[in-house]
Amino acid sequence: MNFQGGIIMERKVLVEVSARHVHVSKEHLEILFGKGYELTVKKYLSQPGQFAANERVDLIGLKRELKNISILGPVRKSTQVEISLTDARTIGVSAPIRESGDTIGSAPCKLVGPNGEVELTEGVIVAKRHIHLTPEDAEKYNLKDKEVVSVKIDTESRSSILGDVVIRVREDFASAMHIDTDEGNAVGLNGEVFGIIL
Amino acid sequence: MNFQGGIIMERKVLVEVSARHVHVSKEHLEILFGKGYELTVKKYLSQPGQFAANERVDLIGLKRELKNISILGPVRKSTQVEISLTDARTIGVSAPIRESGDTIGSAPCKLVGPNGEVELTEGVIVAKRHIHLTPEDAEKYNLKDKEVVSVKIDTESRSSILGDVVIRVREDFASAMHIDTDEGNAVGLNGEVFGIIL
């Protein structure tokens, strides 16, 4: 809880579930889809400028594959694949739980597009729970970038407190907590749910 | 926490993950595997008398199927299928979160065995988090059958407190907490982990 002017303010945050997805580099996009190819917007996401693309790829693990994985745009400096631990075990990829961007030594996989294939030597992670905050909300909630918090999420039959949640503050963020599908299912998330930052 | 003779005792419980499985009635077993068929033991489980059978069935949902689902023995009065919410969404079965045995109005599915098929009109659930306790441990921990508790589970990067956990006390239980694969993955469970009943 946070105290402002003697009033206890609940630090509420919208909880959103990130389904498995791929961020691609320009170089890999061109291998997968062809020289000079650019991603096309299917749907804008809650984070400003981010979008689900119409383009999809297959993700090949050691045991099995996941077909038609959504690519999120715009392109990034390096390719990063975010899957759940359920996915990781199903397809045979030993993806570590990491923050976005922290891919050194993470798991390998193969991506297959209509124009070609990319053998990633690393880049597959399971996203660590995190909260995107605008600088304004971070100040209001008395939270700092990289701080680790717990979030209480009340649902009908799987209420939980999730710890190890990393705060990330940036100008171009919209305030929202991101968890993966395993976590969303584990807390029985359904519809618009707000968590309370403890 | 529990106080005994002025000493604070931590109420520790082993956390086990239940993968998707099927309990079958004698009648359905005979339809699936043939008249007079009996389950054979592949591996005994932590709960006394319970075993993973060598026999497996396919589970058909509205969208997709799950192949080779483990049957747990011995046979029960009625057939019950326990899957994760991830499974439920993948195969297109709207399974509710329920306690074992509480299957009235739960989801339908089709089971396919080597000898025949069973159309279940209900019986598919997502298991509600629960803790099996022996009467001795229940007394030691000052807990009662049907009581609802929270359990703190500390892991490397996904520490959590799971609420809505139902206590179940029975003579023929071994003390252990059971969560499903979504929950196990959401807390990053790996190896032998003990939870603390709060």
Side-chain angles (χ1 to χ4, degrees):
Chain A
M1 272 175 287
N2 195 23
F3 295 81
Q4 288 212 333
I7 293 172
I8 297 170
M9 183 183 61
E10 265 191 345
R11 301 189 291 185
K12 284 175 73 170
V13 65
L14 179 65
V15 183
E16 295 181 326
V17 174
S18 293
R20 65 176 82 104
H21 63 268
V22 178
H23 300 282
V24 285
S25 66
K26 191 173 183 325
E27 180 204 342
H28 288 162
L29 178 66
E30 294 196 341
I31 296 172
L32 294 165
F33 289 88
K35 190 77 190 154
Y37 196 91
E38 297 204 6
L39 291 172
T40 59
V41 178
K42 184 183 175 195
K43 188 187 161 196
Y44 279 99
L45 304 174
S46 64
Q47 295 304 310
Q50 303 292 303
F51 60 89
N54 291 301
E55 290 72 22
R56 288 168 175 266
V57 287
D58 295 342
L59 170 54
I60 320 291
L62 289 177
K63 272 166 51 184
R64 231 167 282 178
E65 63 180 13
L66 288 167
K67 290 211 146 311
N68 291 316
I69 307 305
S70 184
I71 295 179
L72 301 193
V75 292
R76 291 198 178 181
K77 271 189 197 150
S78 36
T79 296
Q80 175 174 297
V81 178
E82 298 179 41
I83 59 178
S84 69
L85 279 173
T86 294
D87 290 337
R89 283 169 193 180
T90 302
I91 66 171
V93 168
S94 57
I97 298 167
R98 295 278 186 88
E99 284 185 62
S100 183
D102 178 16
T103 56
I104 292 174
S106 62
C109 78
K110 184 159 84 173
L111 297 177
V112 179
N115 188 68
E117 299 181 0
V118 173
E119 284 280 1
L120 288 182
T121 55
E122 61 185 25
V124 188
I125 64 169
V126 174
K128 203 172 159 75
R129 303 162 182 166
H130 57 277
I131 296 176
H132 298 269
L133 286 180
T134 62
E136 296 70 35
D137 282 344
E139 197 186 349
K140 192 173 74 175
Y141 283 180
N142 195 24
L143 291 167
K144 290 193 174 25
D145 192 49
K146 297 194 171 60
E147 201 171 335
V148 176
V149 299
S150 291
V151 177
K152 186 170 184 286
I153 302 172
D154 283 334
T155 57
E156 202 187 311
S157 40
R158 289 186 155 182
S159 292
S160 308
I161 295 173
L162 302 183
D164 295 324
V165 184
V166 182
I167 297 289
R168 292 165 55 192
V169 182
R170 227 166 68 186
E171 273 301 340
D172 61 344
F173 280 165
S175 295
M177 176 173 185
H178 284 180
I179 58 179
D180 72 10
T181 47
D182 286 340
E183 294 168 320
N185 288 330
V187 302
L189 213 70
N190 206 342
E192 192 180 71
V193 173
F194 286 83
I196 308 292
I197 303 171
L198 302 180
Chain B
M1 272 175 289
N2 194 22
F3 296 81
Q4 288 213 334
I7 292 171
I8 297 170
M9 183 183 62
E10 265 191 345
R11 301 189 290 185
K12 283 175 73 170
V13 64
L14 178 66
V15 183
E16 295 181 326
V17 174
S18 293
R20 65 177 83 103
H21 62 268
V22 178
H23 299 282
V24 286
S25 66
K26 192 174 184 322
E27 182 203 341
H28 288 160
L29 178 66
E30 294 196 341
I31 295 172
L32 294 165
F33 289 88
K35 190 76 190 154
Y37 197 89
E38 297 203 6
L39 292 172
T40 59
V41 178
K42 183 184 176 194
K43 187 187 160 196
Y44 279 99
L45 304 174
S46 65
Q47 295 304 311
Q50 303 291 304
F51 60 90
N54 290 302
E55 290 72 22
R56 287 167 176 268
V57 287
D58 296 342
L59 170 55
I60 320 291
L62 290 176
K63 273 166 52 183
R64 231 166 283 178
E65 63 179 13
L66 288 167
K67 290 210 146 311
N68 291 316
I69 309 304
S70 185
I71 295 179
L72 301 194
V75 293
R76 290 198 178 181
K77 271 190 196 151
S78 36
T79 296
Q80 176 175 298
V81 178
E82 298 179 41
I83 60 177
S84 70
L85 279 173
T86 295
D87 291 336
R89 282 167 195 181
T90 302
I91 66 171
V93 168
S94 56
I97 298 167
R98 295 278 187 88
E99 284 185 64
S100 183
D102 178 17
T103 55
I104 292 173
S106 63
C109 78
K110 184 158 83 173
L111 297 178
V112 179
N115 188 68
E117 300 180 0
V118 173
E119 283 282 0
L120 287 182
T121 55
E122 62 185 23
V124 188
I125 65 169
V126 174
K128 202 172 160 76
R129 304 163 181 166
H130 58 277
I131 296 176
H132 297 269
L133 287 181
T134 61
E136 296 70 36
D137 283 344
E139 196 186 350
K140 191 173 75 175
Y141 283 179
N142 195 23
L143 291 166
K144 290 194 174 22
D145 192 51
K146 297 192 169 63
E147 201 171 334
V148 176
V149 298
S150 291
V151 177
K152 186 168 183 286
I153 302 172
D154 283 335
T155 57
E156 203 188 310
S157 41
R158 289 186 154 182
S159 292
S160 308
I161 295 173
L162 302 183
D164 295 324
V165 184
V166 182
I167 297 289
R168 292 166 54 192
V169 182
R170 229 166 66 187
E171 273 300 341
D172 61 342
F173 280 164
S175 295
M177 176 173 185
H178 284 180
I179 58 180
D180 71 11
T181 48
D182 286 340
E183 295 169 319
N185 288 330
V187 301
L189 212 69
N190 207 343
E192 193 181 73
V193 173
F194 286 82
I196 308 293
I197 302 171
L198 302 180

